[in-house]
Amino acid sequence: MKKVTINNISMPAIGIGTWNIGDSLVNRSTEIKAIQTAIDAGAQAIDTAEMYGDGRS
């Protein structure tokens, strides 16, 4: 797997964003599955922000 180095830390060059996650409770299980799939694929970078999904991401 390709790696990148950020601040002298090597990590997989794969990540996931959560911008629209948490907007609807109807999609909760699918969203959790998407995040888990990314982690299973090697993602270590997960972009989150309090404003995403009104704090639910």
Side-chain angles (χ1 to χ4, degrees), residues 30-47:
T30 302
E31 293 168 345
I32 292 170
K33 185 176 179 179
I35 294 170
Q36 188 61 58
T37 299
I39 292 169
D40 293 346
Q44 292 182 4
I46 302 174
D47 174 30

Side-chain angles (χ1 to χ4, degrees), residues 1-55:
M1 174 178 292
K2 184 177 178 179
K3 300 241 179 193
V4 295
T5 301
I6 302 170
N7 293 330
N8 296 319
I9 298 171
S10 178
M11 59 191 302
I14 183 174
I16 187 169
T18 62
W19 178 41
N20 289 316
I21 289 179
D23 287 340
S24 170
L25 293 177
V26 172
N27 298 323
R28 181 175 167 80
S29 63
T30 302
E31 293 168 345
I32 292 170
K33 185 176 179 179
I35 294 170
Q36 188 61 58
T37 299
I39 292 169
D40 293 346
Q44 292 182 4
I46 302 174
D47 174 30
T48 64
E50 187 176 350
M51 64 183 273
Y52 296 171
D54 218 11

